[in-house]
Amino acid sequence: MRLFTLPAVALALALSAAPAATASTTAATTTTTTTVHIVSAAGGATVHAGVGDTVQVDLTALRDYTVTWYWYAPAAASAAVLSQTAGSADPNGNSHATFTASTAGTSDITAIGHCVPDPRTVCPPFVARWKVTVVVS
């Protein structure tokens, strides 16, 4: 099975309404933490976070003609930089993961999408790859 990224046009059309990445700040008594929210449309982007921040990834299944692309739970390449605190794949093809930015550095977060065909159709002979780079400083 070959590994390809989904066509940029299909992703752009399917996910153009979704924001790529957003950040919200929550003030505590003595510290400030930020949640960096990363969605499907952010694939290929570089996102910045601070040490101690929460990084939340939410990927949405992608419908493409007679197939749907389901995502496996995202994972970080460097557990030292981004420690995973939660991760799941829903029955509808969406997936989620939560990380804590533990130390300064760079780590990719990746996910693999697999095809689920409609009845009497077949999947193309490849899988989809999604990736963002997170820079923690």
Side-chain angles (χ1 to χ4, degrees):
M1 198 171 258
R2 295 180 298 177
L3 181 67
F4 291 99
T5 58
L6 285 177
V9 174
L11 279 175
L13 290 173
L15 304 171
S16 61
T22 58
S24 60
T25 304
T26 305
T29 330
T30 57
T31 61
T32 300
T33 60
T34 299
T35 298
V36 178
H37 187 219
I38 302 171
V39 296
S40 302
T46 298
V47 178
H48 296 271
V51 174
D53 288 354
T54 299
V55 177
Q56 175 67 43
V57 179
D58 293 304
L59 301 179
T60 304
L62 176 64
R63 180 78 182 152
D64 185 21
Y65 300 106
T66 60
V67 300
T68 304
W69 294 92
Y70 281 37
W71 295 107
Y72 291 108
S78 174
V81 175
L82 293 173
S83 67
Q84 189 163 354
T85 57
S88 65
D90 299 340
N92 66 359
N94 299 341
S95 68
H96 317 278
T98 305
F99 304 89
T100 299
S102 302
T103 187
T106 300
S107 178
D108 289 337
I109 298 175
T110 60
I112 299 295
H114 66 281
C115 173
V116 176
D118 287 349
R120 296 179 301 283
T121 61
V122 296
C123 288
F126 57 85
V127 295
R129 183 173 183 255
W130 181 91
K131 178 182 97 165
V132 296
T133 301
V134 180
V135 178
V136 179
S137 55

